[in-house]
Amino acid sequence: MRDVRDSQYPSGALPGVAPRAQYGNEPMRFGWADAGVIVPYTVWRHFGDTAIIEENWAMMEKYVDHVNETKYDFEATKAENGGYEWADWVSFEKYGTFDGHAWKEGPNGELLVYPEARAYWNYLGACYWLMDAQMMETMAAVADKSIAKYVKMKADARAYLKANFFEKEDGLLLKIFRDMQTPALFALKLGLVEGEAKAKTIAALKQNFKAHGDCLQTGFLGTSILMDTLTENGMTDLAYTRPLQHNFPSWLYSVDQGATTIWERWNSYTVKDGFGSVGMNSFNHYAYGVVAAWIYKTVAGIASDPTQPGFRNIVMAPKP
């Protein structure tokens, strides 16, 4: 976290990689820059020591102020990040960043992002704005700081999301997002759909998984919340099905190709074709490893008590 603090820009923005080096210096890449808040929050939740909150409070507050100011909006951040987001990295859904479905190269070599992809990035960015506000509110309470600012920010972010990315008539996601897994998962995770809209979102998500042979289509951001969100929304059976698939893309597909670590791509190496492109082919990458936390918490049933950080009280509640 000292590297993160040292890497902060005067505006409050954080880069995608810390310390700043040859790659990832661009700030305001949602999901990555937000590690400036997510890491202190997560470490505190696991160890119960507020020192990491105190050490990073000034940095986090300055950063979240900038997120609140820009809302992670494409136009508001493009001068900082070059008009490009990693977004739901290596997903299999439309508007995918890595496979070129989100943008094309202009006549002068410039990046031309499709309008639908801009809307998608704005939605995901606003979701991280809301999550940042939620985490800051919780940390402010335990660190004896005022929560009023973050209570308001949370309400503002929620209202912004509802007004811009959900249909007023039925409360469902915009039509361009309804055949995707990641937008639905964030809507459920953040409580942005309620009542009939929630029931329809869950039904559509179930149908989506079925249509893809029970395989996920999510990238780094969607997968980070996939398992817990399914479990928290009455789909524990579907959650169990995800890690047991052998088809591509899936965890056991990688294992079947010889994986002993978590890879950046499910097919970084295949028995049939060998190694993928060396341009982006990490064989030790955290993102998809998030499934392990779900296995401990849901399968084994060992969870921390959210009211008593640091595992001082352990909630034993396996969900078979």
Side-chain angles (χ1 to χ4, degrees):
M1 288 311 300
R2 187 184 305 120
D3 283 338
V4 175
R5 295 195 299 271
D6 289 347
S7 300
Q8 189 168 34
Y9 286 82
S11 66
L14 293 172
V17 175
R20 288 191 233 168
Q22 78 278 14
Y23 178 78
N25 293 337
E26 301 85 359
M28 299 306 283
R29 296 253 164 95
F30 58 76
W32 277 258
D34 301 281
V37 176
I38 294 169
V39 172
Y41 177 81
T42 304
V43 171
W44 160 68
R45 289 295 302 270
H46 277 74
F47 293 95
D49 186 351
T50 59
I52 194 165
I53 297 175
E54 297 288 352
E55 289 167 2
N56 293 285
W57 186 259
M59 176 275 292
M60 293 191 293
E61 192 158 47
K62 189 174 182 180
Y63 165 69
V64 176
D65 281 349
H66 191 56
V67 174
N68 188 59
E69 176 188 17
T70 62
K71 302 176 176 59
Y72 266 129
D73 177 75
F74 179 86
E75 292 296 332
T77 58
K78 69 179 182 181
E80 297 177 272
N81 60 25
Y84 181 72
E85 294 283 359
W86 293 324
D88 197 24
W89 187 243
V90 293
S91 77
F92 291 81
E93 300 188 298
K94 61 184 182 180
Y95 319 138
T97 309
F98 178 63
D99 59 14
H101 291 163
W103 56 272
K104 65 179 179 180
E105 194 172 291
N108 300 313
E110 71 274 26
L111 209 63
L112 299 177
V113 180
Y114 299 125
E116 296 86 355
R118 289 190 188 193
Y120 184 36
W121 294 358
N122 285 345
Y123 169 69
L124 292 177
C127 287
Y128 274 90
W129 172 31
L130 174 54
M131 289 191 291
D132 288 339
Q134 290 174 333
M135 288 183 284
M136 290 296 283
E137 179 190 359
T138 302
M139 288 189 286
V142 300
D144 198 26
K145 301 179 187 300
S146 173
I147 68 170
K149 173 180 178 178
Y150 298 106
V151 171
K152 181 181 184 303
M153 189 184 296
K154 190 172 66 172
D156 290 346
R158 186 174 295 278
Y160 175 83
L161 278 158
K162 295 286 281 185
N164 290 279
F165 305 104
F166 293 81
E167 300 287 357
K168 293 178 175 58
E169 295 77 17
D170 55 16
L172 290 168
L173 279 160
L174 295 179
K175 291 181 176 63
I176 60 171
F177 299 149
R178 292 188 195 178
D179 58 348
M180 301 171 70
Q181 294 178 7
T182 292
L185 290 165
F186 274 95
L188 291 167
K189 183 73 173 177
L190 295 172
L192 296 169
V193 283
E194 299 171 316
E196 188 177 353
K198 179 178 178 178
K200 287 183 176 180
T201 300
I202 290 173
L205 193 56
K206 288 179 177 180
Q207 180 57 41
N208 190 307
F209 281 120
K210 185 177 180 180
H212 290 99
D214 278 329
C215 287
L216 51 76
Q217 301 297 296
T218 51
F220 281 10
L221 304 185
T223 306
S224 76
I225 64 168
L226 168 67
M227 303 299 286
D228 282 348
T229 302
L230 291 176
T231 302
E232 291 161 2
N233 287 276
M235 293 176 277
T236 303
D237 56 336
L238 290 186
Y240 267 87
T241 305
R242 302 286 81 73
L244 297 175
Q245 298 306 307
H246 288 266
N247 294 328
F248 177 76
S250 69
W251 281 278
L252 291 183
Y253 176 86
S254 298
V255 173
D256 291 342
Q257 309 312 309
T260 57
T261 53
I262 296 291
W263 298 344
E264 184 171 11
R265 296 186 292 195
W266 304 108
N267 60 346
S268 286
Y269 173 88
T270 64
V271 174
K272 179 177 179 290
D273 298 318
F275 292 99
S277 168
V278 297
M280 191 216 83
N281 203 21
S282 166
F283 284 84
N284 193 2
H285 223 77
Y286 159 71
Y288 293 137
V290 70
V291 70
W294 176 85
I295 291 171
Y296 280 107
K297 185 164 62 175
T298 304
V299 181
I302 306 169
S304 64
D305 182 347
T307 66
Q308 299 184 55
F311 286 84
R312 287 180 175 83
N313 188 46
I314 299 170
V315 178
M316 300 296 290
K319 298 180 179 65

